Amino acid sequence: MSLNVIALGGNAILDKDPSDSGQKAVVAQAAKYIADFVEKGEQVILCHGNGPQVGNLLLQQKAGESEKNPQLKLDTCVAMTQGSIGYWLQHALTNEFAQRGVPQSVISLVTQVRVDKNDPSFQKPSKPIGPFYDKEEAEAAMAKTGGVYQEDAGRGYRKVVPSPMPQEIVEKDVIKTLVDAGVITICAGGGGVPVYQENQHYVGVEAVNDKDFAAKVLADNVQADRLIILTGVDNIYINYNQPDQQALKEITVDQAEQYIEEGHFAAGSMLPKIQAAIGFVNEDASRTAIITSIENLAVLDQQVGTILRK
């Protein structure tokens, strides 16, 4: 039995139908693949993205804002979407195991992730989130909140926030205790709620953690054997969408770093996944990282996906 941290993308959950029932249906299908994997004797910790979901929540916040119903801050919105997506996964997995007659406890945990308050991203926020504003609205919002709003590809102005590098899972000991007790634990959703430490207190900040980097830190903190990053394709590709595109089956850290240097991976999609995988296997040569689609999860023993080794 190996301990696996599985990172599931928020875009995979919000496929086409953004409704509550539409996303639950996608999660219910994902639960079948996860249950298949667990039934092979694997231990699992799940984390997930929340980009589309927290974006939609911020749109709803703007639409419903009033003096008596002000918008909530981003750290709270991250926690809210952690809770909702965690509930969907917990609900779906509980039902799936019950249907199979398999006794299995599942829990979702709102998770804080410590970041460095001096991370360079706080001086230069660049991650766009939430609704679009016209110039006058953006200037008024900046004057009111002190947030940073920037023009986004000619479509209007959006708030931009820092994306600091995750340092530590605050609840790591609780997670390890749950895993040791055989509980499938859903945590660090949306990269976790970013907090920094000051005078022995944690302070929530308006920032977003990258889900894949948070999954890597989670895997480090619980001493996982494998980091499995699920995405929309079966393999990593070089020359992607070109006539000479090539699926990568098994690569070393040195090869992965060479492909990064050659510019094969997009900064907003595949690149952080590969960087997280590199960071994880670099910590311990016995570890492996796998990047593949969720459909391949239960057949990883057949050497599917892209496997990264030291």
Side-chain angles (χ1 to χ4, degrees):
M1 179 186 292
S2 59
L3 176 56
N4 304 270
V5 168
I6 299 176
L8 178 65
N11 284 302
I13 297 168
L14 202 169
D15 183 18
K16 297 182 177 68
D17 183 352
S19 69
D20 181 275
S21 58
Q23 293 182 83
K24 283 178 178 174
V26 174
V27 169
Q29 182 58 46
K32 296 180 187 299
Y33 296 114
I34 295 165
D36 288 342
F37 186 63
V38 171
E39 285 201 295
K40 286 178 172 284
E42 300 289 352
Q43 284 186 298
V44 164
I45 302 173
L46 292 171
C47 57
H48 57 82
N50 73 338
Q53 292 81 9
V54 79
N56 284 353
L57 178 57
L58 291 168
L59 288 168
Q60 293 166 356
Q61 294 258 315
K62 182 189 176 188
E65 184 179 27
S66 67
E67 186 176 342
K68 291 186 177 181
N69 186 33
Q71 292 189 50
L72 300 174
K73 294 197 176 213
L74 182 58
D75 58 333
T76 300
C77 291
V78 170
M80 290 169 71
T81 51
Q82 265 201 74
S84 60
I85 299 171
Y87 153 64
W88 295 341
L89 283 163
Q90 179 179 334
H91 179 84
L93 284 166
T94 300
N95 285 345
E96 183 64 30
F97 284 115
Q99 184 176 325
R100 298 177 184 216
V102 177
Q104 176 63 62
S105 297
V106 185
I107 195 165
S108 55
L109 183 69
V110 174
T111 314
Q112 303 170 96
V113 175
R114 183 177 61 79
V115 300
D116 184 352
K117 66 179 295 186
N118 297 313
D119 189 288
S121 69
F122 286 109
Q123 303 304 316
K124 194 175 181 181
S126 60
K127 183 78 173 177
I129 60 161
F132 287 91
Y133 296 83
D134 62 31
K135 186 175 182 181
E136 291 72 23
E137 288 176 321
E139 288 174 347
M142 282 191 282
K144 180 180 178 181
T145 66
V148 179
Y149 291 74
Q150 294 179 354
E151 198 271 333
D152 187 347
R155 298 176 292 175
Y157 288 76
R158 293 177 81 190
K159 186 173 186 176
V160 291
V161 298
S163 185
M165 188 62 69
Q167 301 293 317
E168 179 188 35
I169 307 297
V170 175
E171 293 80 11
K172 63 182 184 297
D173 292 336
V174 176
I175 295 166
K176 193 71 169 68
T177 299
L178 288 165
V179 172
D180 289 345
V183 179
I184 293 177
T185 305
I186 303 156
C187 56
V193 180
V195 298
Y196 65 81
Q197 211 164 5
E198 190 169 77
N199 298 325
Q200 297 185 326
H201 288 81
Y202 290 110
V203 180
V205 290
E206 287 229 313
V208 291
N209 296 328
D210 182 273
K211 172 262 300 178
D212 297 310
F213 290 133
K216 179 265 177 191
V217 172
L218 171 63
D220 283 341
N221 286 178
V222 300
Q223 300 176 320
D225 301 298
R226 288 192 295 194
L227 173 61
I228 302 170
I229 300 176
L230 302 178
T231 185
V233 291
D234 291 339
N235 295 82
I236 299 171
Y237 291 85
I238 56 173
N239 303 317
Y240 185 61
N241 271 345
Q242 304 298 318
D244 58 345
Q245 82 170 15
Q246 178 185 342
L248 302 176
K249 302 293 187 182
E250 185 167 342
I251 57 174
T252 65
V253 166
D254 287 344
Q255 288 171 320
E257 289 176 338
Q258 179 63 37
Y259 291 138
I260 289 172
E261 190 175 326
E262 293 170 359
H264 283 285
F265 311 121
S269 58
M270 192 58 76
L271 181 59
K273 294 173 174 54
I274 296 168
Q275 290 173 326
I278 289 172
F280 176 68
V281 300
N282 264 340
E283 296 283 336
D284 186 332
S286 68
R287 296 173 170 179
T288 56
I290 301 172
I291 301 175
T292 191
S293 63
I294 193 168
E295 291 83 2
N296 284 334
L297 187 57
V299 291
L300 292 184
D301 53 352
Q302 299 176 24
Q303 302 291 300
V304 297
T306 299
I307 303 169
L308 183 69
R309 302 187 192 277
K310 176 78 170 180

